[in-house]
Amino acid sequence: MMNDDDAVCEFQDGLVNHRNTGGGGGDANALNELNEERARIMAEREKWENGKADLESQRNEAEYQRAMTSVDNNILDLLPKVKEAKELVDLLNRVTMSFEVVLEKG
């Protein structure tokens, strides 16, 4: 009768032999087919990863463009308010006060 440690060792040895022989009893043709399939899958995965990276960069560019459009719209909304403030200051004869729209990126 086999004890627990012997059973574990035999099982692990069997797994190692199975992995080393390709699992097919040493059939070279099956091992080659498996390697070719693995290479095809890896090539497809690489192509998918590249496509994913391209899509991500396009998405980031679109997000940047939306943000810039939002900033432009905020500036355009501010221009009439600045003009009105200038007119009010001129009406009150406050020459020391001035208003300007300034955009700083940083």
Side-chain angles (χ1 to χ4, degrees):
M1 180 165 248
M2 190 180 283
N3 66 19
D4 296 340
D5 292 333
D6 292 336
V8 170
C9 286
E10 184 178 340
F11 179 72
Q12 289 176 346
D13 289 340
L15 284 177
V16 169
N17 287 337
H18 181 73
R19 288 182 186 143
N20 289 340
T21 60
D27 185 18
N29 191 25
L31 186 57
N32 286 338
E33 288 178 9
L34 181 64
N35 286 336
E36 289 173 5
E37 181 69 20
R38 184 176 294 142
R40 282 193 298 264
I41 289 172
M42 292 304 286
E44 186 176 329
R45 179 180 178 188
E46 184 177 335
K47 187 169 77 171
W48 180 77
E49 289 287 338
N50 290 338
K52 183 178 165 187
D54 291 342
L55 183 64
E56 182 87 16
S57 75
Q58 289 173 356
R59 199 175 294 146
N60 288 342
E61 180 65 28
E63 182 66 29
Y64 177 78
Q65 290 301 327
R66 278 194 294 274
M68 287 294 106
T69 301
S70 175
V71 168
D72 289 343
N73 288 339
N74 287 336
I75 290 171
L76 290 176
D77 289 343
L78 191 59
L79 288 174
K81 294 174 185 174
V82 169
K83 183 178 179 182
E84 182 181 354
K86 283 182 182 180
E87 289 173 358
L88 287 174
V89 167
D90 289 344
L91 182 66
L92 296 173
N93 201 21
R94 303 282 191 223
V95 293
T96 58
M97 296 178 71
S98 66
F99 299 93
E100 294 180 8
V101 177
V102 178
L103 174 64
E104 292 183 12
K105 292 184 179 180

